[in-house]
Amino acid sequence: MDDFDMKIGVHIKNARMKKGITQEQLAELSDLSTNHISKVERGMCSVKLKNISKICKVLDLSLDILISDTMQQPVQTDVFSTTQMTTIENYLKEALSVINTVNGSTNGTVTMK
């Protein structure tokens, strides 16, 4: 998806978290699936205007301000790409292997010495 989808997703996620509700609650209250809310928040799909409107209603967001902010301001996101997550996971597995080797662990658990 494009930069707009990612930005709008981050804005929606931030508003949802600020309101203190889960993706499941937002999905139920906006009559959308949890899977769809997840994809929207990660910028993995283009969200239809009618669905943005439903989400904004639940989150007490102004649709015009959400769209305007999304188009005008860069948004910082802590979302990692799949490739980045795979790289991090591989580094962690390698680090765990080294720790286990140093500690002499053979069962995959790390014991502090």
Side-chain angles (χ1 to χ4, degrees):
M1 294 294 106
D2 63 20
D3 192 44
F4 180 81
D5 296 325
M6 178 61 81
K7 287 179 182 180
I8 201 135
V10 170
H11 277 293
I12 289 170
K13 179 180 180 181
N14 290 341
R16 175 184 59 77
M17 292 177 76
K18 184 176 180 181
K19 191 166 177 90
I21 64 174
T22 65
Q23 286 182 342
E24 292 80 8
Q25 291 168 321
L26 177 57
E28 183 177 332
L29 294 169
S30 59
D31 197 31
L32 299 167
S33 73
T34 303
N35 187 45
H36 186 66
I37 296 294
S38 175
K39 286 181 180 179
V40 167
E41 288 188 357
R42 291 180 289 132
M44 300 301 291
C45 68
S46 294
V47 61
K48 294 180 180 179
L49 187 56
K50 70 177 183 174
N51 291 339
I52 293 176
S53 180
K54 289 178 181 182
I55 292 168
C56 284
K57 184 176 180 181
V58 172
L59 297 176
D60 298 319
L61 287 176
S62 166
L63 180 59
D64 58 336
I65 291 174
L66 175 67
I67 301 291
S68 176
D69 285 353
T70 299
M71 294 180 72
Q72 294 178 15
Q73 299 175 357
V75 175
Q76 293 290 338
T77 177
D78 60 354
V79 178
F80 292 104
S81 70
T82 303
T83 304
Q84 290 169 319
M85 288 303 296
T86 301
T87 301
I88 292 168
E89 184 178 344
N90 288 339
Y91 282 130
L92 291 173
K93 285 178 182 176
E94 185 177 339
L96 182 59
S97 175
V98 169
I99 291 168
N100 286 335
T101 300
V102 169
N103 288 340
S105 175
T106 57
N107 63 3
T109 61
V110 176
T111 308
M112 300 303 285
K113 292 185 177 184

